[in-house]
Amino acid sequence: MTIYDKLLTHTDVINNLHLRTLFEEDEQRFNKFHVLFNDFVLDYSKNKITEETMELLFELANFSNLKDEIDAMFEGKKINTTENRAVLHTALRNRSNTPIYVDEKDVMPEINQVLEQMHLFSDKVRSGSWLGATGKAITNVVNIGIGGSDLGPQMAHDALYHYKAKNLTFHFVSNVDGTDITETLNKCDPETTLFIISSKTFTTQETMANAQTARNWLCTHLGDTATQKHFVAVSTNTEAVKEFGINPENMFVFWDFVGGRYSLWSAIGLSLMIAIGYEGFISMLEGAHEMDMHFKNTPFEQNMPVILALIGLWNTTYLKAESYAVLPYDQYLAKLPLYLQQLDMESNGKSVKKNGKNVDYSTGPILFGAAGTNGQHSFYQLIHQGTHLIPADFIAPIHSLNETGTHHDMLLANVVAQSEALMKGKTPDELRAEGVAEELIPFKTFEGNRPSNTLLFNKMTPKAFGSLIALYEHKVFVQGIIWRINSFDQFGVELGKQLAKAILPELMDKTKELTHDSSTNSLIEKIRTIRL
Ligand code: F6P
């Protein structure tokens, strides 16, 4: 029997068990199903698993050559096969500084050089010694980028807001909707604003449109030469940066072995370094590096990213959960679900295997979430009593950075209560014992048996944050390997971009003939009638 068949057969066993019974029958369940890394604890005992499930999942990981694949990534092999690229976000945080070769060239010297360039520049902005065109210090930093060139820096800025320089305000403009840039510029003074144009390709329509609008605004107020003091770029495309009019000295490079959604650790994190300082940024890299080493060197049975990945894969592929909730009980992490949507869904939202054949199993789930406790008062109803199986990750720091009265105790009580409620449910007998009226019992019954992980760590620090994000990156990697898909391309975003390019001139000129389907033609006509 193949490992796949063994797992399929095993789902019948699991589907007949209830988590409540598993806990009642085995007092050691938590001891068996939790894993530690630094000050992180991942409790995965409230999943629909037994010891046999885990053994089978580890067998699946071995069968998928996971260890070799992990090594191949860290060694800079070209594992992004459709784009013939290495995948080396781990090199960006390689604090041990061991050489890493791509095409026989050690990438570490260049990585360290850009880090140093970021260091010097961020120090100048933070200390007020980087002066704008009229001699004033910078007070507002605007990152213009989209996708990985926006979500990482923005989410990290919020996550580490506690450590942010108080003299600086940060803005993140991503949407091509003119409201985004207009409302941001309304809050800024051209004399004291710095724009960071972040784009790996420097061709992305939304980013270039926003960058041009920002430049026009600046030049209208301060004249054309002001760009030199108010615009810097982060990109892999030196030519396009020069053409835009940004001094190459004010360009921070990164490389095609860094995927957009994995680029927070590169110069794409420049706004974050300005916000939290060089030491804070390095501490974040160290946290990620420690998670990298744990991932690379720890046997799968104690390996946090591997276990998180296997549990997710079990839920998605074998228990047929189509979605997955990420529920941070930390206001600073409110944007984590948005960030993870790109990380997970752009990486593993694939239906073709690396060998070009279609998969015949489910791959990446639909990811959503919100900060606890807010989600409890909106969509948790469906997680508790709806018809869908929605595994959840609860994430919480044990100490708050803002200990205020008993707020944090209340927050923690809620996070622990939610996973207990999902696991145990509430039976009709328990309701009767509480005196609930018989006609209300069906409505008040909770089936329970709903899986969740709980991830606790001591406190939100740059280091803990780095470890947390690296944990999820590696989780996504492991799942991609086992699903045999390429987690590092994103061709699925291209078609819409191409069609939008074709439609744009049609929207702006009503004499252009329309040759789309009847719906698309009519929508364009409707818009033209109102706008032109
Ligand atoms: O649209 C998808 C995408 O290519 C993402 O993968 C990427 O993070 C984003 O666009 C932005 O790309 P760039 O950094 O090249 O502007």
Side-chain angles (χ1 to χ4, degrees), residues 146-149 199-201 204 207 260-261 342 346 490 493 497:
I146 197 164
S149 302
S199 174
K200 182 173 170 181
T201 55
T204 304
T207 301
R261 54 193 173 274
Q342 188 196 16
E346 202 174 63
Q490 57 283 321
V493 302
K497 286 189 201 172

Side-chain angles (χ1 to χ4, degrees), residues 144-151 198-208 234-236 254 259-263 268 342 346 489-490 493-494 497:
I144 297 181
I146 197 164
S149 302
D150 163 69
L151 289 164
S198 298
S199 174
K200 182 173 170 181
T201 55
F202 229 73
T203 56
T204 304
Q205 189 195 46
E206 294 91 331
T207 301
M208 297 329 295
V234 180
S235 186
T236 58
F254 64 115
R261 54 193 173 274
Y262 300 87
S263 62
I268 289 289
Q342 188 196 16
E346 202 174 63
D489 60 16
Q490 57 283 321
V493 302
E494 292 306 325
K497 286 189 201 172

Side-chain angles (χ1 to χ4, degrees), residues 61-232:
N62 289 323
F63 177 77
S64 309
N65 291 327
L66 180 59
K67 181 71 188 103
D68 292 346
E69 299 282 356
I70 294 173
D71 290 343
M73 174 172 71
F74 278 92
E75 283 163 15
K77 301 257 164 66
K78 299 201 172 169
I79 60 168
N80 176 354
T81 45
T82 50
E83 296 177 322
N84 194 30
R85 287 177 182 168
V87 173
L88 274 179
H89 44 282
T90 52
L92 302 169
R93 58 219 192 193
N94 173 20
R95 300 309 297 160
S96 64
N97 213 17
T98 46
I100 298 173
Y101 295 95
V102 175
D103 294 329
E104 287 156 37
K105 184 180 164 213
D106 180 10
V107 296
M108 289 313 299
E110 259 195 277
I111 288 175
N112 292 330
Q113 200 184 323
V114 175
L115 258 181
E116 202 36 43
Q117 186 195 2
M118 292 165 69
H119 184 182
L120 291 174
F121 181 72
S122 59
D123 274 359
K124 281 189 194 158
V125 176
R126 284 165 64 82
S127 66
S129 62
W130 178 274
L131 302 178
T134 57
K136 291 191 179 164
I138 298 300
T139 56
N140 283 269
V141 177
V142 182
N143 184 79
I144 297 181
I146 197 164
S149 302
D150 163 69
L151 289 164
Q154 187 173 176
M155 180 274 298
H157 162 270
D158 286 15
L160 299 174
Y161 193 83
H162 180 80
Y163 304 93
K164 183 189 78 78
K166 305 289 174 261
N167 55 330
L168 293 167
T169 303
F170 292 81
H171 312 267
F172 296 87
V173 174
S174 54
N175 199 333
V176 76
D177 181 341
T179 300
D180 202 1
I181 186 77
T182 304
E183 290 297 352
T184 302
L185 296 178
N186 286 344
K187 292 178 206 141
C188 297
D189 173 351
E191 291 185 80
T192 58
T193 300
L194 174 74
F195 294 95
I196 304 177
I197 313 303
S198 298
S199 174
K200 182 173 170 181
T201 55
F202 229 73
T203 56
T204 304
Q205 189 195 46
E206 294 91 331
T207 301
M208 297 329 295
N210 281 322
Q212 270 147 19
T213 301
R215 187 177 55 186
N216 292 345
W217 173 82
L218 184 90
C219 294
T220 307
H221 287 93
L222 303 180
D224 285 356
T225 52
T227 318
Q228 302 307 318
K229 291 287 174 194
H230 293 266
F231 273 74
V232 300

Side-chain angles (χ1 to χ4, degrees), residues 486-516:
N486 180 3
S487 301
F488 299 102
D489 60 16
Q490 57 283 321
F491 295 115
V493 302
E494 292 306 325
L495 180 58
K497 286 189 201 172
Q498 284 164 16
L499 294 181
K501 260 196 198 136
I503 289 173
L504 180 62
E506 294 172 351
L507 274 184
M508 296 169 72
D509 178 355
K510 65 173 157 215
T511 65
K512 284 237 179 321
E513 195 197 343
L514 300 178
T515 53
H516 307 269

